[in-house]
Every structure is written in structure tokens, then in C-alpha cells.
Amino acid sequence: MSVPPKTKTRTLTQSNRITAYLFLLPNVIGFLVFTLFPILAAFGLCFVKWDFANPMEFVGAKNFLKLFRDDGFQVSFWNTLYFTIVSVPLTIASALGLAMLLYQKVKGMKFFRTVYFFPYFSSMVAVAVVWNMLYHPTMGPINHVLRLIGVQHPPDWMTSVVWVMPAIILMSVWKQVGYYMVIYLAGLQAIPEQLYEAAIIDGVNPWQKFRYITLPMLSPSTFFVSVLLVINSFKVFDQIIIMSDGVPGRAMYVLVYYIYYQAFQLFKFGYASAIAMVMFLVVLVVTIIQFKFEDKWVNYHSM
């Protein structure tokens, strides 16, 4: 007896659906184990006192109230803001400048694009070790160049409470600028050439073309880049733990480092989870504000 066409179609659809679910299953398991469960666990730990060796003790909101009296948390918060406020505009300006420079139709430009993208996929450990050598106070090439141009006492970059944060910011910008440069290059390729041709006919100068055509047309790219950069700047940790281990003083205390310090050096898992929740809320609020003002300056329409 032959199978009706509708039954055959239904069986095939069900089989395809099961196949799709099986392909998705590893990602779903990974998300549950490595993302959702840690988030729920961290949320639960916010309200307990636990050092891993003794039983948990419910403390309610005391972990959150303690934040207001903890000057270490306040220093970490302001240092994170310092890193964000300086590194985000600097990365955007550098990535945009590089993209404009490498968008020129000159022979060998693909090679230079690859060179500038190379630091992004390099190991952070290797990059941090190299930059630690560059920052060496007596043998580092940076201080050597500074002495050549007349700076008598160049800074001890990684041991000075004043200069260690700019040193980390400079390295971080160099490390990630290639990735955002690629985003801007894609944005530049999407700008219609007719806009520039019309501008030339109208007699505008290069600065006016950049100010009134390139920047507005790149605003979606700039918005995307700024959202990513702000989120990533709040998560800064790798370069700090490798290059400075949180010293000198508390100059390198940032939020993620302070969470690590409280959890894995002082074993205050509940308090560390409370800091993590506060950091999450801060990033969430900043991101919502960015999306709230998106319509004010982002142009999604061709001129």
C-alpha cells in the first residue's frame, strides 16, 4: 500500500526538524553549562557568604551594602571608567584613521591591511610580554626614543601609578584597532561613489567631504563599534593580570581584576558575585543609553 503524499511530507519535515535539533544540541548544552548556569549561580551567590571551605551563610543584601564602604571597589570602578573614557574614543579615532588611510587604491594595500589586523588575532600573552619589553625603563626602545628626542627622565611605565594605565591603554588600542579598522573599511565600501562625485562638482574640499559625507554615512559603523568597545572595555582583564598583576599600588585595579582578587585570592565568592552583578548592571545601563540616543545621530538612510 502506497504512503499518502501528505504523510510522506510530514515525516520528512519531522525528520529535518530532528536533524536541526541535533545540530543545535552541542551549542545549547554549551550555553547551558558555560553561560546560563554560571550566571544563575553568580546571582544566587550574591546573597550568601561563602569561602568554599565552610557552609554557605545567607546574608541578604549585605554584600551589596558593603560595596559603598569598600574603597577598593570604588578605586576599581573609577579606574574602569578611566580606561573606558580614554580607550574607546582613542580606538575609534585610530581605527577610522587607519581605515581612511588603507582605503586608498594603492598597490600593496591588502598587505598593509593584513599587517594591521595581525595583532588582533595574536595571543594576548605574547603581545603583553612584547609590550612589557617595549616599556622596560632602561632597555626598552620606547624610553630609548624618548631620550633621543630630549626627554631626560622618561617614565617607568609599568611601575608608576601615573603612567601604568596609559601604558595599558596604549597597548590595548594597538591590539584591537585592526578589528575595528576592518569594520570601518566595510562601511567605507558601502558609501555610494555618486555622493563624492556630486560633492566634487559642488566644489567641496576634502575636509568637507569627510565631515558631511563620510562621517554621517559611517555612523552605523561607529555606533556598532562604540557599543562593542564600551562592553569590552568594562571586561578588561587579560593585559592587566599579565603585564602588571594589579600593581603598582591599586592603579591597575579594575572591576574584573577586583572580582578575580576577591574570589580567587581572598575566597569571598559571595562578595565577588555581588561586584559582578553590579558591573553587569552598569554595562546594561550604558548600553541601553547608547541605544536610546541611537536615533539622534546614526544615519541608516542613503543621502
Side-chain angles (χ1 to χ4, degrees):
M1 190 176 72
S2 63
V3 180
K6 282 189 176 178
T7 305
K8 190 183 287 186
T9 304
R10 195 180 304 125
T11 304
L12 184 61
T13 304
Q14 192 172 4
S15 174
N16 289 340
R17 194 171 295 166
I18 291 172
T19 304
Y21 288 149
L22 287 175
F23 274 109
L24 289 173
L25 190 59
N27 280 337
V28 172
I29 292 175
F31 171 76
L32 292 176
V33 173
F34 297 111
T35 303
L36 185 60
F37 175 73
I39 290 174
L40 296 176
F43 183 74
L45 287 174
C46 292
F47 304 100
V48 300
K49 181 181 179 182
W50 187 43
D51 61 0
F52 199 74
N54 296 298
M56 292 183 186
E57 177 187 347
F58 182 75
V59 295
K62 284 185 179 177
N63 284 331
F64 292 99
L65 296 175
K66 186 180 173 183
L67 294 174
F68 294 100
R69 304 187 304 271
D70 184 1
D71 58 342
F73 168 75
Q74 293 168 17
V75 168
S76 305
F77 182 78
W78 289 115
N79 281 344
T80 306
L81 277 187
Y82 174 19
F83 182 88
T84 302
I85 291 171
V86 177
S87 69
V88 171
L90 193 58
T91 305
I92 290 176
S94 303
L96 178 58
L98 268 180
M100 295 289 295
L101 191 64
L102 298 178
Y103 188 62
Q104 309 301 318
K105 295 174 182 175
V106 179
K107 192 175 181 181
M109 219 29 103
K110 289 182 180 177
F111 169 76
F112 290 107
R113 291 176 186 176
T114 306
V115 168
Y116 281 107
F117 189 69
F118 180 75
Y120 179 73
F121 59 80
S122 301
S123 163
M124 177 59 84
V125 175
V127 169
V129 170
V130 169
W131 275 85
N132 253 341
M133 294 171 60
L134 295 176
Y135 284 137
H136 194 278
T138 56
M139 296 183 290
I142 293 177
N143 278 3
H144 181 67
V145 171
L146 290 176
R147 290 191 192 94
L148 287 178
I149 62 175
V151 179
Q152 296 295 327
H153 302 288
D156 292 343
W157 296 94
M158 300 311 298
T159 57
S160 165
V161 294
V162 175
W163 288 103
V164 66
M165 182 60 88
I168 294 288
I169 290 173
L170 184 62
M171 188 280 278
S172 302
V173 171
W174 177 86
K175 174 82 169 61
Q176 62 190 353
V177 71
Y179 173 73
Y180 298 106
M181 174 200 73
V182 171
I183 295 174
Y184 273 120
L185 279 172
L188 285 170
Q189 290 172 356
I191 299 176
E193 282 295 327
Q194 297 90 328
L195 295 178
Y196 292 114
E197 292 169 0
I200 292 172
I201 293 172
D202 290 339
V204 301
N205 58 42
W207 166 249
Q208 288 172 324
K209 280 197 291 186
F210 175 76
R211 171 68 181 84
Y212 296 108
I213 298 176
T214 306
L215 272 184
M217 297 300 288
L218 283 178
S219 56
S221 302
T222 304
F223 174 70
F224 178 67
V225 167
S226 64
V227 171
L228 288 184
L229 278 172
V230 168
I231 293 173
N232 288 333
S233 65
F234 272 89
K235 297 191 302 180
V236 59
F237 174 71
D238 296 352
Q239 51 269 59
I240 287 175
I241 194 74
I242 297 169
M243 295 180 70
S244 71
D245 197 17
V247 295
R250 295 186 297 185
M252 278 292 89
Y253 275 26
V254 290
L255 284 176
V256 178
Y257 179 84
Y258 200 58
I259 292 169
Y260 161 80
Y261 174 72
Q262 291 291 333
F264 298 105
Q265 294 192 12
L266 302 182
F267 300 106
K268 296 179 178 178
F269 293 103
Y271 187 53
S273 298
I275 299 171
M277 284 298 116
V278 169
M279 191 185 84
F280 165 73
L281 290 176
V282 171
V283 173
L284 180 65
V285 169
V286 172
T287 306
I288 290 173
I289 291 173
Q290 285 180 292
F291 275 91
K292 190 76 177 174
F293 288 96
E294 176 189 4
D295 294 338
K296 304 286 185 186
W297 63 279
V298 180
N299 171 40
Y300 287 108
H301 307 287
S302 300
M303 289 181 176

